[in-house]
Amino acid sequence: MAAAKEIRTQIGSIKNTQKITSAMEMVAASKMRKAQDLMKASQPYAKQIRNVVAHIADANPEYKHDYMVERTEVKRVGYIVVSTDRGLCGGLNHNLFKAVLKDAAAWRDQGAELEFCALGSKASSFFNKYGGKLVAAKSGLGEAPTVEDLIGSVKVMLEAYDEGRLDRLIVVHNEFVNTMTQQPVLRQLLPLSPDMGADEQDDENARPGSWDYLYEPDAKALLDNLLVRFVESQVYQAVVENGACEQAARMIAMKSATDNAGDLIDDLEMVYNKARQAAITQEISEIVGGAAAV
Amino acid sequence: MANSFTCNIVSAEASIFSGSVEQVIASGLMGDLGVLPGHAPLLTELQPGPIRVIYDGGKEDNFFVSGGFMEVQPNVVTILADSAARAADLDEAAAQEARQQALRAFNDKSSELDYTRAAAELAEAVAQLRTIQQLRKKAGKG
């Protein structure tokens, strides 16, 4: 019966694991709803500011902000990589890092140097291992990140851009397609690319090239503030969207872990029953054999 | 419908208002400004203060923003507010309290609170009060 007892303990420990994973699944499901609400709530602002900035890029402004000018030579590329703080969310972070490395390799082949800003502890530990140049990191954003949490790290990257240490700034995060699907996206923040708002642009207002805004107080001060706000809001949107992705991915990962534990238990129970049956049969035949010998 | 246009007010946390209006009155950095349909493209920074939107037929609504940006296009106005609230939601007592606190921090320069932040808080509290008082006055008249 020794084998049967071992199997029974194994089944017990798998059952415990299953309880944990199914609890985590339920927690992730309820957190996902909250994270999705947060994502939806911040979408209008991100979308409107993208529209406004697309209009500015369309216009023919008297003052060209530094962020609007495409630099001829791209010597350094900065990435803001948005990851999760915790693991156990399937291949979410892994896929994201793969996408970053692929894009980064393309830039490196063109002779560009790379700098990274890691949001979320998974990204910073990844770049520590991988050996990328990490210039800013922020983790512990929690479930309800605020714009204030991000200002610091965004500022580091913007200052680098202002000083010419970076010629391009890209934000990388997971896009929430639906609960089952999340896919990594890379989006160029700086310099502003004209196709940025193309899909959202209402055509009535598209009159490229020939007009300019009236600015109050003046173009420089206004655009300085507005474009910084724009970058911050895009990064914030990336972070909350990634948060929703994290919970969805964790829910799916935990659901499949629970299912797998169930399969494992079924298999082990079959083995256990066979072992038990074999032991009983053996005992009976021993008794019968013993009785016959008497 | 030529004399109306679309107005969107969004804050970082939510979409506050979106609809067709006849006029928008906002407090820009250089002073209050009213926007009618067909206005030339304009970009301005906003001061903390009230935003009045006037619908077709003269009905109006008040919102409060604590700073932000306004983009005017001939047929759409977009207000990117740092944080916005319907003016009726504003609590005068809370605003007064905030102003007192800001003033205290303002006068007490030795305190840890840095000066610029206190000044910003004070401006915001004063603007909230301005919105409330404007509402009051109108309620008294009507």
Side-chain angles (χ1 to χ4, degrees):
Chain A
M1 285 298 275
K5 188 151 187 292
E6 248 168 48
I7 294 170
R8 221 162 47 205
T9 19
Q10 210 177 351
I11 290 175
S13 83
I14 293 173
K15 270 190 180 149
N16 283 338
T17 311
Q18 193 186 28
K19 271 184 211 151
I20 294 169
T21 56
S22 82
M24 283 181 79
E25 180 196 336
M26 282 184 271
V27 170
S30 91
K31 279 186 181 170
M32 183 184 74
R33 229 157 286 145
K34 265 182 241 156
Q36 256 177 304
D37 288 344
L38 197 66
M39 177 181 86
K40 286 208 186 96
S42 67
Q43 249 162 7
Y45 188 90
K47 193 180 146 193
Q48 293 292 358
I49 199 164
R50 201 152 55 217
N51 270 345
V52 171
V53 171
H55 288 161
I56 296 173
D58 258 1
N60 186 19
E62 57 186 37
Y63 162 73
K64 279 257 178 205
H65 194 276
D66 203 23
Y67 293 168
M68 295 155 71
V69 184
E70 186 87 18
R71 294 184 186 168
T72 43
E73 208 182 348
V74 180
K75 275 188 280 187
R76 284 201 178 84
V77 181
Y79 288 92
I80 297 180
V81 182
V82 183
S83 75
T84 66
D85 272 332
R86 298 194 196 148
L88 291 181
C89 48
L92 189 74
N93 289 320
H94 184 72
N95 290 340
L96 187 79
F97 297 148
K98 262 207 313 214
V100 175
L101 290 187
K102 199 172 149 214
D103 194 67
W107 280 112
R108 190 174 301 132
D109 289 345
Q110 292 176 34
E113 282 178 50
L114 307 167
E115 285 186 11
F116 298 97
C117 162
L119 299 175
S121 57
K122 288 286 158 190
S124 33
S125 69
F126 173 77
F127 286 114
N128 276 339
K129 251 185 282 164
Y130 161 75
K133 188 178 172 198
L134 201 58
V135 288
K138 171 91 189 163
S139 56
L141 292 167
E143 272 123 42
T146 59
V147 181
E148 286 81 45
D149 293 335
L150 305 169
I151 287 177
S153 2
V154 172
K155 196 160 179 233
V156 171
M157 298 310 266
L158 287 182
E159 266 168 9
Y161 193 90
D162 290 340
E163 289 162 13
R165 277 195 291 119
L166 290 178
D167 302 310
R168 203 167 278 259
L169 187 59
I170 297 170
V171 66
V172 198
H173 68 103
N174 281 294
E175 188 184 21
F176 189 90
V177 183
N178 55 42
T179 317
M180 299 296 290
T181 326
Q182 299 88 30
Q183 60 187 32
V185 286
L186 293 102
R187 202 164 43 206
Q188 181 178 328
L189 288 178
L190 298 177
L192 304 176
S193 52
D195 60 325
M196 190 171 49
D199 46 9
E200 339 230 4
Q201 177 114 268
D202 32 343
D203 284 321
E204 286 177 74
N205 291 318
R207 298 163 274 134
S210 56
W211 56 283
D212 191 13
Y213 283 106
L214 303 167
Y215 298 96
E216 278 185 29
D218 67 290
K220 188 177 179 311
L222 188 80
L223 288 182
D224 276 352
N225 284 338
L226 180 68
L227 293 178
V228 169
R229 196 67 54 86
F230 165 73
V231 172
E232 280 166 8
S233 85
Q234 296 304 307
V235 174
Y236 174 72
Q237 178 65 22
V239 168
V240 290
E241 187 162 355
N242 200 68
C245 288
E246 175 187 359
Q247 300 303 342
R250 178 165 301 132
M251 190 182 83
I252 301 300
M254 289 301 113
K255 188 176 161 43
S256 69
T258 309
D259 292 348
N260 286 344
D263 290 349
L264 218 54
I265 289 171
D266 284 350
D267 288 351
L268 283 175
E269 244 155 28
M270 181 75 93
V271 175
Y272 170 72
N273 286 341
K274 270 187 191 156
R276 193 177 59 112
Q277 198 61 53
I280 291 169
T281 313
Q282 196 188 348
E283 252 175 63
I284 290 174
S285 63
E286 273 167 12
I287 292 168
V288 171
V294 171
Chain B
M1 289 303 281
N3 56 355
S4 70
F5 58 99
T6 315
C7 174
N8 298 309
I9 303 179
V10 292
S11 79
E13 291 88 27
S15 171
I16 306 291
F17 171 82
S18 177
S20 167
V21 299
E22 210 165 62
Q23 192 182 0
V24 174
I25 299 166
S27 39
L29 212 58
M30 316 271 284
D32 284 10
L33 62 145
V35 179
L36 288 165
H39 197 288
L42 169 97
L43 264 178
T44 181
E45 228 170 292
L46 294 177
Q47 264 184 341
I51 301 220
R52 272 166 65 199
V53 297
I54 300 171
Y55 303 107
D56 297 339
K59 259 189 73 181
E60 60 175 76
D61 247 333
N62 278 270
F63 299 91
F64 172 79
V65 297
S66 59
F69 297 92
M70 177 163 80
E71 189 218 22
V72 179
Q73 290 279 349
N75 48 14
V76 58
V77 169
T78 309
I79 293 172
L80 305 162
D82 290 345
S83 80
R86 269 181 189 269
D89 297 344
L90 285 180
D91 189 336
E92 177 151 13
Q96 285 279 15
E97 168 63 28
R99 191 172 74 120
Q100 293 300 329
Q101 211 169 16
L103 260 178
R104 259 199 308 267
F106 198 66
N107 293 329
D108 182 16
K109 279 181 203 155
S110 58
S111 77
E112 296 271 308
L113 241 171
D114 62 309
Y115 190 71
T116 46
R117 212 174 100 203
E121 272 174 20
L122 179 64
E124 194 175 312
V126 169
Q128 281 189 357
L129 282 174
R130 195 150 68 96
T131 312
I132 293 168
Q133 273 151 14
Q134 231 179 54
L135 269 178
R136 279 275 163 75
K137 227 168 40 199
K138 230 170 26 241
K141 261 194 287 177

